[in-house]
Amino acid sequence: MIQFIVEDRDGTRRPVEIPEGMGLNLMEVLKASEYNILATCGGMALCATCHVHILEGEDKLPPVSDAELDILDTLPSAHANSRLACQLRVEETIEGAVFQIAGEEN
Amino acid sequence: MITTDICIIGAGPVGLFAVFEAGLLKMRCHLIDALPQVGGQLSEIYPQKPIYDIPGYPEVKAQELVDNLMQQIAPFKPTFSLGERVEVLEQQEDKSYLVQTNEGTQVRCQVVVIAGGLGCFEPRKPEIVGLEQFEGKGVGYMVKNPELLRDRRVVLAGGGDSALDWTIFLASVAKEVTLIHRSDSFRGAPDSAEKVFELAQEGKINLILNSNIRAIHGNGHLQEVIVEGKDKVQSSLKADHLVALFGLTPKLGPIANWNLAIDKSAIKVNTEDYSTNVERIYAIGDINTYPGKLKLILCGFHEAALMCQSAFKYVYPSQKLSFKYTTVNGAPGF
């Protein structure tokens, strides 16, 4: 199992557990876990509505791709720890990380 | 006033295909879209992305699909109001609808079809204290008429293509141009970025990198922009105009005020004909929701076909609908 923590917009933190090898990205897992995320473009790194801040565990994550940076740059609220949940695969690199939901509400 | 049979709100792939299905039943359509071009998400967000699940197309680029749909519906002579947002739906005494846009366009129709996808694309607004109170008073999210910025002090914010392009254009129009960007590199076209750096070196524009706008001040009209660098040091800029160019984001918009049953930003429909809880108003494509809903273009096409069969009774109340195949009847236009 892969476990990580999600902090919702109101500050509540909840652990999320996902079996390994499901081939899902973080956006899909957050949506399936009933988090209020728009994910307009469906995972193409085009809309930035699945924006998350990495509060802990940033160093273990794979680097940001150019396509992801392109879109993050259009976000006025982006910080140095901003990522698009749809571009993060749910695998051991995110074990123990803390994600804060930052995208617009549905 | 425009008079038509069906007014379709949203000119994405599903709205466009609804024109075809309506045309087969001799119903005319007028389409309204908040974007300046047809195609919805396909043209606005991912025109060059290939789509693999359109029946009959092993692979088709999003814009190519839109172009083909426009060709397919051309015989039915649809009319369009683009760059306009529908604000009000008003039922008339004879049960027909009057649809009104923010630009004052009025459409009289028997049936309203909402094919609004994810809602209207609206400018993404940065989190700046006091921003909204200066909207239209110096603060804007697009450059509609650059002449209005002639000889003024203009601050642009953003790092994409539109921020770069407008910086270059306004450098020779405005009295003073400042571009503020949160990082030190631009993701827009490299040529444009290079040009912006050149203009900054020549002193023709001010370029403030690694910075964000924190606050704005004014007295009835924008006068000052407070910029904060990564080092948390704040500085003040005198400005007449601020244009924040951070792309577009979809919002449900006025649809939420039309007394329709809504569930999580989607309109609830009856899957028999994709009708809403309000008579003569249908919702098809990504904007609707029902048990088992899949947000796929091909599902939206199916919904458009069934919707038209049902809408026929409002357009031709005294006629009996007989179903015909295009292989038998062709698709005779108007």
Side-chain angles (χ1 to χ4, degrees):
Chain A
M1 292 294 253
I2 295 167
Q3 203 184 54
F4 51 91
I5 310 274
V6 178
E7 182 179 311
D8 211 342
R9 294 178 186 85
D10 62 4
T12 49
R13 287 192 178 196
R14 214 166 47 138
V16 175
E17 242 186 24
I18 295 292
E20 278 166 80
M22 297 274 286
L24 295 171
N25 63 50
L26 181 63
M27 177 274 285
E28 292 165 328
V29 170
L30 292 174
K31 280 200 86 153
S33 311
E34 307 270 305
Y35 281 99
N36 193 346
I37 286 186
L38 266 172
T40 306
C41 74
M44 289 186 281
L46 290 171
C47 71
T49 51
C50 66
H51 176 202
V52 292
H53 292 140
I54 317 293
L55 300 183
E56 286 172 38
E58 201 183 342
D59 45 328
K60 282 202 300 175
L61 297 177
V64 190
S65 71
D66 274 356
E68 189 179 346
L69 270 176
D70 279 352
I71 295 302
L72 283 173
D73 265 355
T74 70
L75 270 184
S77 59
H79 299 309
N81 65 351
S82 286
R83 294 294 298 258
L84 298 180
C86 72
Q87 300 302 301
L88 290 169
R89 298 209 72 74
V90 174
E91 53 192 18
E92 50 284 16
T93 52
I94 74 163
E95 173 74 36
V98 181
F99 301 102
Q100 180 190 45
I101 292 177
E104 293 151 78
E105 283 187 70
N106 202 334
Chain B
M1 167 122 59
I2 297 160
T3 304
T4 189
D5 297 324
I6 300 180
C7 181
I8 301 174
I9 302 171
V14 172
L16 294 177
F17 188 67
V19 174
F20 181 82
E21 288 295 326
L24 291 180
L25 304 181
K26 301 285 175 237
M27 298 187 286
R28 287 175 185 274
C29 298
H30 182 81
L31 297 98
I32 303 174
D33 201 296
L35 291 172
Q37 75 278 334
V38 300
Q41 276 185 72
L42 278 67
S43 307
E44 182 64 28
I45 309 189
Y46 50 92
Q48 295 309 317
K49 288 260 176 185
I51 308 173
Y52 299 99
D53 60 354
I54 305 297
Y57 286 97
E59 180 183 336
V60 61
K61 284 208 176 85
Q63 187 59 50
E64 196 184 338
L65 180 65
V66 172
D67 295 344
N68 285 348
L69 283 163
M70 286 299 282
Q71 193 185 335
Q72 190 171 18
I73 65 176
F76 301 116
K77 301 192 167 58
T79 49
F80 296 89
S81 297
L82 298 175
E84 297 185 30
R85 184 170 94 166
V86 175
E87 295 291 334
V88 183
L89 298 186
E90 203 179 83
Q91 194 163 32
Q92 309 296 294
E93 270 183 28
D94 64 357
K95 291 200 169 177
S96 69
Y97 267 93
L98 186 66
V99 179
Q100 298 190 62
T101 75
N102 60 337
E103 300 282 326
T105 301
Q106 295 192 322
V107 181
R108 185 75 176 263
C109 58
Q110 297 302 322
V111 172
V112 175
V113 174
I114 304 171
L118 300 146
C120 312
F121 283 92
E122 293 180 7
R124 191 176 277 133
K125 297 181 185 178
E127 289 164 25
I128 299 173
V129 181
L131 188 71
E132 300 202 341
Q133 78 183 85
F134 289 107
E135 282 176 5
K137 295 166 187 160
V139 170
Y141 307 100
M142 57 182 78
V143 181
K144 280 184 185 158
N145 180 3
E147 273 309 306
L148 296 177
L149 302 177
R150 183 170 292 279
D151 301 328
R152 312 297 298 248
R153 293 169 299 186
V154 182
V155 174
L156 298 154
D161 281 318
S162 55
L164 294 172
D165 292 348
W166 281 115
T167 299
I168 295 165
F169 184 87
L170 291 171
S172 57
V173 175
K175 179 177 169 192
E176 199 178 288
V177 176
T178 305
L179 175 62
I180 299 170
H181 178 41
R182 69 171 186 86
S183 84
D184 57 4
S185 61
F186 289 99
R187 296 279 149 194
D191 286 356
S192 311
E194 204 174 304
K195 177 80 183 159
V196 163
F197 283 119
E198 264 172 39
L199 287 168
Q201 256 175 2
E202 293 163 8
K204 290 181 178 155
I205 62 158
N206 307 317
L207 186 56
I208 305 181
L209 300 173
N210 294 315
S211 300
N212 284 303
I213 297 173
R214 278 288 162 255
I216 54 177
H217 303 127
N219 185 7
H221 193 280
L222 178 74
Q223 292 172 323
E224 183 188 26
V225 173
I226 305 294
V227 184
E228 186 183 277
K230 278 204 174 133
D231 50 10
K232 301 285 171 201
V233 176
Q234 295 197 345
S235 53
S236 159
L237 275 174
K238 296 277 170 252
D240 304 308
H241 293 272
L242 166 63
V243 189
L245 298 163
F246 294 109
L248 299 171
T249 187
K251 292 260 192 260
L252 195 58
I255 292 172
N257 311 327
W258 298 341
N259 296 322
L260 300 166
I262 306 257
D263 179 25
K264 287 186 187 151
S265 296
I267 301 169
K268 287 193 194 179
V269 289
N270 177 349
T271 49
E272 197 175 306
D273 57 1
Y274 302 97
S275 55
T276 67
N277 60 315
V278 179
E279 196 184 45
R280 292 178 185 244
I281 302 182
Y282 294 81
I284 56 176
D286 284 0
I287 196 89
N288 75 15
T289 186
Y290 50 84
K293 171 69 183 179
L294 272 184
K295 288 187 181 183
L296 288 178
I297 294 170
L298 73 98
C299 296
F301 288 168
H302 158 86
E303 294 164 16
L306 267 61
M307 173 277 293
C308 286
Q309 299 287 315
S310 170
F312 185 85
K313 61 179 173 285
Y314 299 120
V315 177
Y316 296 110
S318 58
Q319 286 185 33
K320 198 170 155 17
L321 174 62
S322 64
F323 177 76
K324 295 187 179 94
Y325 288 111
T326 56
T327 41
V328 178
N329 263 48
F334 298 144

